[in-house]
Structure formats: structure tokens, C-alpha cells
């Protein structure tokens, strides 16, 4: 058995993990977390992670589903079997994850006291789909029919790989299957009306606890925001979250709260001394760092502290050597340290035309990259120049520009989002760029900058959202000095959009053929449009020497799919975005 916590040199990873690591067969690593506030005797001398971040401590271990509990991770397998609550934060629809879930369920069943039941609660089905599970467990609905009827709903998971787990509901009378998520329509109420309206509607159906307010901790929001932005949670110095997803946050919380309430209602009637157990299966986004479902269950049932167990699933190449503590620590550092999140983002930047030196300059800020291409090649920034970065976002391109213009130059970032300006300003200070790089709130069509004050204007991904493109180009002309130049990376539509439902952002894109006339009419000369790499949807190539499945998540490979996961625009997933949209860099000079 391999047991070890990360040492003090792994503090950033240690704070994130706060728990255990299990090794699965195939291309997975399963990371488990015990809720007990204790350390293994083998690791008691290791300084624990900050309580304020995770609230839990445990040990790192190895465990293969194919040899559950034996020989590696035997003690942890027993702890999982004996727990009242096991929460698996999984990678959806991956067979090794399902295999571990089945073995955990069987182990928990074997340790049930007389009269006890094992409740298996699944994220994949919403509460209104419970009759499907009941019919399958009763034998009146076969798997093929279950899949067919499930496909008519709105959840959209690949349910077929879960057949071995679902079959346990047929084969074992003490195992009961439960739909675990609130219907997606309630998250839409949060976004389209208010969280108060969603709470009222959900309480009326018994989906939420009476005291639920859908308020989340700042630590939980930070984790949630990092899932959307790939911001490294353990960057040094720390990177604060942006505020851009705070309105969306309650839509995540209502899912967490409803699942936690379901589990609480199943275990609460028997109380602390009861015989029933629960195995909860949800995505990592609903359980990571103990945020989401775990924290709400234990808030409702505090007596579960010390009697629950976490598993977090993590991709790893099947050839990874995970038999010893050091390889496990290295894997955790690669996966959850500062460099891991930056690695995926850096690959994206390289794919979009950034040089290795520019990627290195982005450094820990690379995961905050929000652009569509590289304007720097065409801007050709020189030492001592004054540069304006329009739509500067979280500051990545501004920091790269600052390196190009050197100590004698200056960069001003302009963004309409005050929260992003605050974030970028803080990062400039932490990078010791005060006085050289500054950020201001402003509109592309009404720039808060003096006329003829810039040698160059760059922009990356913001111009496509300017409502009045001619006015925005006129502002670029105004702030540039004679002889100044611009380089704007932007998304375009290749031809007018057909009738139908399109996201607002796509409806705001310029037609490719309109860009050059707009810039020329604004007064610019030598206007050119680079169309050499226009692909909107692409897969990143694995770095040399690494297997494709080992280096990046499917989310990274498909980063440019449009509105994936949004029911409103689900029809777009079947379209070839490269035939509809493109990425270009337009450049020119002010005579």
C-alpha cells in the first residue's frame, strides 16, 4: 500500500488535494478524499493543508478498480466500504469510473447492517425521470428502452456505460437507484428570472430544503469560476477570480443544493445511528474541493463528518507508474499545480500563433487567455512605444505587449468590465509593472484616451462584440498618432447567417467581406486581413513525445465548439462552425 501526503514543497497541490489519490485501470487516476479530520499514521508528521481552504485532510493512496482494496489502498477501500456516505466526483461515462462505482457499491452492500439499504444517487437523471429507474429496477423496462426514453429528456448524458451500476439495482434488493438532479428548467429560471423565483418553484416541488438560499462561499465561487476560465487555483502569487460568472453561480448552486437535499432526505430519517448508506455519483464540478454537493450534505447532516469518503476522478495515461508515493506526488503536481492549468492554455496560445517567448511571458496568467488569435505578429511592437490594448480582459496580451516595449514603453488596457480591470490591475502590480501597464474601464466606441496618444493599438477577441464597428475603428484612428498602426484579432462570419436561432455573439460578428471597407473608410492605409488560419473549431496536437490521450482534457481539445451544453443552442453542435465563422487578424496604418 502506498500512503503519502505531499510534502511542504508541494504546498499548492497539497492545499488543493486535502485528500487521497486512487489509481484506476485504463486512462484514469481516481483521487479519493476522506472527510475524517485526521491523518494516516504514516503521514502524521507532514504539515497539513490550510483548514480554511478544504476543511479536510487525508492521505494519498493507490487503488485499482480491477483489484479493489487489494493490495494497494486496502485500508482506504475498507474505509470506503464502511462509510455512511461515499461521493464519487467522476469523469462522466468513463468505464473505469463506473467499475470503481460498482465495486464501491458492492463493498458498501457487503457491510450493510441488517435492514439497511444502499441508496445510489445519480446526477445523470433528473427527479422527473425517477420512473425510468424504478421501471428498470423492477424489470419492466429493459436497458435499450431506458436509453431510448432517456434520450427524449434534457439531461444529455451518455447513460449506456452505467449499465453495470444500474444493473445492481435489479440484482440487489437492498440497493435503490435514485435520480439525483433538479431538472434543467430550474437553472433557466435562475438565469432568466431570479434565484428567488427558482427557489420558490423548487421548494413547491420539494426539491430544495426550506432554508436553502442558494448562497455560496467565496471559496466555492473561486472553484466554480476556475472550471470555466482554467484559472490556476494555486498560482503564486495567487490569481483572484473574475466576477463575470457571479450571475451564473446560483444556477450551479441550485443543482448542488437539490442533490444534497435529496441525499439528506434519504439518510436523515434514521439519524446518526441508522443503517442506510448512500453512494452519490456526480461530476467533479459538483464535488471538487468538497464544494457543492459534499458541503451541503454535511451542513444538513453534521453527524456524517468522519463517516464520509470522497473520490475525485482524474485523467492519466494508462502507462503512468503510480506504484510509489513519488510518482503519485508528481502526477498531482502536474495535474493540479500551477503548471498544469498553464500547460493546456499555453498549448492553445501556441496553436493560435504566439511564440514560445510570448507564452513564457504569459506564464501563470496563461489560463486567463481569452483571445482568438495573436495580434502581436502584425503589431510588431518596438521598445519605448505606447500601446493600447482594446478589450484587455484579464491582461494577458497587455503583459506580453509590456515585454515587447520594455521599461521605456507603456501599455494601457481598456475593457468594459470593471471586474476584469480590477483583476488585471492587481496582476500588473504583482508582476511589478506599476507605472508601465495600466488598465481602465472604457467602451471601444468611446475610448477614455487622448487623441494621438498611441503608437500601436492591439485587440484580441473584443472587436467582434462591438455593436458599431465603424465607430470603433474611428476611435482607433483617433487615439493613434500619424504613422501608428493597429492589429486586431477578431471573429467573423464568412457569409450572412441564415434564418434561425443564433447566439448573440455570432449575430454581432462582422461579415469578413465588410472589414476592409470599414477600416479603409475610417482612413487607414495598407489595410490587410490575415486569413491563413481561420479555423474556429480545432483539436490541439499532443506535445512531442506524449500520447494524445494523456496530456489534455476533452474540454481543451474542443475549446472552440460553440455553446456546447446549452439546450437553447444544441442544434449548433451538429454544424461545422468552420464553414460559418472564422478567426482573422486585420491590420493597417494611420497615414
Amino acid at each position: 500500500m502506498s500512503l503519502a501526503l505531499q510534502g511542504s514543497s508541494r504546498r499548492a497541490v497539497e492545499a488543493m488535494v486535502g485528500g487521497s489519490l486512487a489509481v484506476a485501470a485504463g486512462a484514469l487516476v481516481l483521487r479519493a478524499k476522506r472527510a475524517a479530520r485526521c491523518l494516516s499514521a504514516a503521514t502524521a508528521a507532514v504539515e497539513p493543508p490550510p483548514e480554511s481552504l478544504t476543511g479536510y485532510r487525508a492521505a494519498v493512496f493507490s487503488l485499482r478498480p480491477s483489484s479493489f482494496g487489494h493490495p494497494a489502498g486496502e485500508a482506504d477501500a475498507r474505509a470506503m466500504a464502511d462509510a455512511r456516505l461515499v461521493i464519487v466526483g467522476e469523469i462522466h461515462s468513463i468505464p473505469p469510473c463506473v467499475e470503481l462505482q460498482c465495486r464501491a457499491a458492492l463493498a458498501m452492500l457487503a457491510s450493510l447492517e441488517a435492514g439497511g439499504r444502499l441508496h445510489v444517487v445519480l446526477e445523470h437523471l433528473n427527479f422527473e425521470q425517477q420512473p425510468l429507474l424504478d421501471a428498470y429496477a423492477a424489470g419492466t423496462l429493459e436497458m435499450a428502452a431506458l436509453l431510448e426514453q432517456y434520450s427524449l429528456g434534457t439531461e444529455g448524458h451518455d447513460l449506456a456505460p452505467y449499465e453495470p451500476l444500474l444493473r445492481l439495482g435489479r440484482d440487489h434488493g437492498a440497493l435503490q437507484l435514485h435520480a439525483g438532479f433538479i431538472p434543467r428548467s430550474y437553472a433557466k429560471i435562475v438565469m432568466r428570472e431570479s434565484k428567488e423565483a427558482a427557489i420558490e418553484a423548487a421548494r413547491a416541488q420539494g426539491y430544495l430544503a426550506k432554508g436553502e438560499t442558494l448562497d455560496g462561499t467565496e471559496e466555492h465561487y473561486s472553484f466554480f469560476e476556475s472550471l470555466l476560465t482554467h484559472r490556476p487555483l494555486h498560482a503564486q502569487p495567487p490569481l483572484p477570480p473574475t466576477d463575470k460568472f457571479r450571475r451564473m453561480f446560483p444556477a450551479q448552486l441550485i443543482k448542488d443544493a437539490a442533490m444534497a437535499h435529496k441525499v439528506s432526505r434519504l439518510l436523515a430519517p434514521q439519524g446518526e445511528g441508522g443503517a442506510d448508506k448512500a453512494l452519490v455519483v456526480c461530476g467533479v464540478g459538483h464535488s471538487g474541493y468538497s464544494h457543492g454537493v459534499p458541503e451541503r450534505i454535511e451542513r444538513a447532516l453534521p453527524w456524517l463528518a468522519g463517516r464520509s469518503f470522497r473520490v475525485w476522478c482524474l485523467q492519466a495515461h494508462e502507462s503512468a507508474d503510480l506504484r510509489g508515493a513519488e510518482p503519485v506526488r508528481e502526477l498531482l503536481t502536474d495535474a493540479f499545480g500551477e503548471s498544469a492549468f498553464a500547460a493546456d492554455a499555453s498549448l492553445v496560445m501556441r496553436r493560435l500563433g504566439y511564440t514560445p517567448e510570448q507564452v513564457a511571458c504569459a506564464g501563470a496568467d496563461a489560463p486567463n487567455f481569452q483571445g482568438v488569435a495573436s495580434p502581436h505578429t502584425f503589431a510588431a511592437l518596438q521598445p519605448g512605444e505606447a500601446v493600447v490594448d482594446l478589450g484587455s480582459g484579464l491582461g494577458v496580451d497587455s503583459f506580453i505587449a509590456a515585454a515587447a516595449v520594455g521599461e521605456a514603453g507603456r501599455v494601457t488596457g481598456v475593457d468594459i468590465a470593471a471586474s476584469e480591470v480590477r483583476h488585471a490591475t492587481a496582476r500588473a502590480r504583482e508582476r511589478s509593472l506599476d507605472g508601465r501597464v495600466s488598465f481602465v474601464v472604457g467602451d471601444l466606441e468611446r475610448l477614455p484616451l487622448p487623441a494621438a496618444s498611441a503608437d500601436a493599438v492591439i485587440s484580441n477577441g473584443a472587436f467582434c462584440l462591438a455593436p458599431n464597428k465603424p465607430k470603433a475603428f474611428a476611435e482607433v484612428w483617433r487615439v493613434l498618432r500619424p504613422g501608428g498602426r493597429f492589429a486586431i484579432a477578431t471573429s467573423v462570419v464568412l457569409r450572412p447567417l441564415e434564418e434561425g436561432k443564433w447566439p448573440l455573439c455570432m449575430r454581432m460578428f462582422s461579415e469578413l467581406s465588410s472589414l476592409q471597407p470599414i477600416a479603409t473608410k475610417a482612413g487607414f492605409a495598407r489595410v490587410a486581413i490575415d486569413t491563413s488560419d481561420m479555423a474556429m473549431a480545432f483539436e490541439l496536437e499532443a506535445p512531442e513525445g506524449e500520447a494524445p490521450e494523456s496530456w489534455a482534457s476533452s474540454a481543451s481539445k474542443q475549446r472552440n465548439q460553440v455553446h456546447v451544453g446549452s439546450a437553447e443552442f444544441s442544434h449548433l453542435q451538429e454544424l461545422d462552425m468552420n464553414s460559418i465563422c472564422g478567426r482573422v487578424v486585420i491590420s493597417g496604418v494611420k497615414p
Side-chain angles (χ1 to χ4, degrees), residues 427-485:
R427 288 300 295 152
R429 187 179 307 115
E430 290 159 358
R431 281 172 166 261
S432 300
L433 292 173
D434 281 356
R436 293 175 49 202
V437 180
S438 60
F439 297 91
V440 296
V441 176
D443 188 328
L444 297 187
E445 298 172 14
R446 293 178 295 276
L447 295 176
L449 302 172
S453 60
D455 298 299
V457 169
I458 62 172
S459 184
N460 199 349
F463 249 72
C464 57
L465 299 179
N468 188 326
K469 305 295 192 297
K471 193 170 183 180
F473 271 103
E475 279 293 270
V476 174
W477 168 276
R478 184 182 66 82
V479 301
L480 278 173
R481 296 170 179 148
R485 61 209 179 277

Side-chain angles (χ1 to χ4, degrees), residues 378-382 385 455-457 480 483-487 588-590:
F378 304 91
L381 303 179
Q382 301 299 313
E385 289 189 320
D455 298 299
V457 169
L480 278 173
R485 61 209 179 277
F486 74 87
V589 176
K590 179 177 179 178

